[in-house]
Amino acid sequence: MSTCQENIQRADVFQDQSVIVSVIIPSYNTAKYISKAIKSALDQTLQEIEVIVVDDVSQDNSLETIRQFNDARLKLFINQKNLGVGGARNRALSEAQGKWIAVLDADDWYSPNRLERLVEVATEKNADLIADDLYLIDDGTTIPWGTLIGKHQESINSVQKIEAADFVNTDIPGKKGLHLGFTKPLFRRDFLVKHHIQYDETLKVTQDFWFDMECFAHGANYYLVPEPYYYYLSRQNSGIYTDKIRRLEDECRAIANFFLYQNYLQNNPDVLAAIQEKDRQTRRWLKYYRFIEPLKKGDLRNCLAAIDFDWAFWTFMISKIYESIPRRLASIFFEQEENHLKFLFKN
């Protein structure tokens, strides 16, 4: 019989001081993958952990898969209605007891020493967030085709403190950058509790980036370990393949919300400039895709409706169409590389 602790309603329990890391895993129809994710968490060299899985009303056999584990450190919570990734993570945060919060998506997994290594560095640096490099893997394969840092040919040889402005500048649409918003940091739990930081449940695929930004807005110290310990699986029906227009609309709304941190932005003009540039580029790409996507489908009505008669719109449009021609031709011969390009939201 499984010793997985299962809870349908919130259980009021005392704080377990022995838990160093709470690994939180949102689960929705990931029966094919979640066993590997849970096992990688339970098999960590750091044993003082709890693994909190929140099932978000899965319709497959995810629950049966989770219940097969025989480990008291695994705790299962079952949502009564679908809340999305952000809602499931927030439920897990409310149940967590560890000093650190580690996020793990149900289709990803950890190297065995990931948590031990990151907690060690975080303690040494007095970090509030500590992230590592990512191994990048295509669904159906077992060997990574690269890493997040390596893909961008960055040279990072030691632990680096990441400033908020640099973090934003790595994640501007259409521009080269590390896209550090894809990383899965460990978070100091008392920092999150003190500042009432939660995931934005209205965002579909950009929750990680804006969760990190809210931490920055409250003065978080963020460090990056340039060693890959997190295996990031790309699959066709995951969030990174979501509709481009929806993603950019979410980004515009999230940026507008972040402008509400007026005092923080006024005191950090470099961050303000980076956010303003991200806003400009995001809106520019949104206009582009509102025109291009209907055009691809032969939907002339919505295509024409998206036309902006501003000269900057047409300059950008023509330049992007021109730039896309060699890439489209290359994709005919290098289909695998084209799939890799999809990992990061590019043009």
Side-chain angles (χ1 to χ4, degrees), residues 27-67:
S27 169
Y28 179 69
N29 292 344
T30 53
K32 177 181 176 181
Y33 307 95
I34 196 167
S35 180
K36 187 170 188 175
I38 293 173
K39 187 176 187 303
S40 76
L42 294 174
D43 287 349
Q44 290 291 295
T45 56
L46 179 67
Q47 291 288 295
E48 295 87 352
I49 68 171
E50 62 178 359
V51 180
I52 300 174
V53 179
V54 176
D55 186 81
D56 204 25
V57 198
S58 292
Q59 302 302 308
D60 63 1
N61 63 334
S62 292
L63 287 175
E64 289 80 357
T65 302
I66 298 165
R67 288 169 175 149

Side-chain angles (χ1 to χ4, degrees), residues 117-160:
R117 170 62 172 154
L118 293 187
V119 168
E120 177 185 39
V121 176
T123 302
E124 175 188 338
K125 298 294 187 180
N126 193 30
D128 300 301
L129 286 75
I130 183 79
D132 52 343
D133 195 5
L134 305 174
Y135 281 119
L136 308 177
I137 301 180
D138 289 329
D139 198 4
T141 65
T142 58
I143 300 175
W145 56 264
T147 70
L148 184 65
I149 294 176
K151 176 178 174 58
H152 295 283
Q153 300 178 338
E154 294 281 347
S155 179
I156 303 177
N157 300 315
S158 60
V159 176
Q160 300 287 321

Side-chain angles (χ1 to χ4, degrees), residues 88-267:
R89 285 179 176 174
N90 285 338
R91 172 85 187 273
L93 286 176
S94 71
E95 304 291 350
Q97 301 180 60
K99 297 179 178 66
W100 295 92
I101 302 293
V103 177
L104 176 58
D105 287 342
D107 51 0
D108 299 337
W109 63 95
Y110 293 160
S111 293
N113 60 331
R114 179 180 193 255
L115 298 183
E116 182 176 19
R117 170 62 172 154
L118 293 187
V119 168
E120 177 185 39
V121 176
T123 302
E124 175 188 338
K125 298 294 187 180
N126 193 30
D128 300 301
L129 286 75
I130 183 79
D132 52 343
D133 195 5
L134 305 174
Y135 281 119
L136 308 177
I137 301 180
D138 289 329
D139 198 4
T141 65
T142 58
I143 300 175
W145 56 264
T147 70
L148 184 65
I149 294 176
K151 176 178 174 58
H152 295 283
Q153 300 178 338
E154 294 281 347
S155 179
I156 303 177
N157 300 315
S158 60
V159 176
Q160 300 287 321
K161 184 175 183 181
I162 304 298
E163 302 295 344
D166 295 330
F167 184 80
V168 176
N169 284 322
T170 72
D171 203 77
I172 294 177
K175 293 191 173 183
K176 292 183 178 180
L178 274 177
H179 293 265
L180 292 175
F182 278 99
T183 62
K184 304 291 184 181
L186 268 64
F187 303 89
R188 192 183 297 275
R189 191 173 71 88
D190 59 7
F191 180 88
L192 301 181
V193 172
K194 177 181 178 181
H195 298 292
H196 309 286
I197 297 173
Q198 291 190 320
Y199 287 92
D200 185 339
E201 298 181 15
T202 69
L203 297 178
K204 187 173 179 61
V205 294
T206 59
Q207 305 101 329
D208 290 310
F209 178 87
W210 292 105
F211 189 88
D212 295 353
M213 283 305 299
E214 189 168 356
C215 291
F216 275 122
H218 289 94
N221 291 317
Y222 181 123
Y223 284 86
L224 174 68
V225 176
E227 304 151 18
Y229 298 106
Y230 189 105
Y231 289 82
Y232 190 110
L233 186 74
S234 297
R235 56 192 178 95
Q236 289 292 336
N237 59 341
S238 67
I240 63 170
Y241 288 96
T242 194
D243 177 79
K244 295 182 179 69
I245 294 174
R246 166 67 188 275
R247 178 189 175 99
L248 289 166
E249 288 174 343
D250 278 358
E251 281 286 84
C252 287
R253 182 162 43 81
I255 292 170
N257 289 338
F258 197 79
F259 277 126
L260 297 177
Y261 287 103
Q262 295 181 7
N263 290 337
Y264 170 73
L265 293 173
Q266 287 175 359
N267 293 327

Side-chain angles (χ1 to χ4, degrees), residues 262-323:
Q262 295 181 7
N263 290 337
Y264 170 73
L265 293 173
Q266 287 175 359
N267 293 327
N268 296 274
D270 55 340
V271 181
L272 175 59
I275 289 289
Q276 289 172 333
E277 177 63 13
K278 182 175 177 65
D279 186 43
R280 282 192 294 269
Q281 296 299 332
T282 302
R283 293 181 184 280
R284 181 176 290 181
W285 281 100
L286 179 56
K287 289 180 179 180
Y288 172 78
Y289 280 114
R290 280 177 172 167
F291 178 83
I292 288 295
E293 293 300 302
L295 182 63
K296 289 178 181 178
K297 300 173 183 177
D299 183 358
L300 294 181
R301 180 180 179 182
N302 283 320
C303 179
L304 293 173
I307 291 178
D308 189 328
F309 291 97
D310 180 68
W311 175 247
F313 168 80
W314 288 108
T315 302
F316 181 78
M317 184 72 61
I318 293 169
S319 70
K320 292 303 145 188
I321 293 174
Y322 178 78
E323 289 173 10

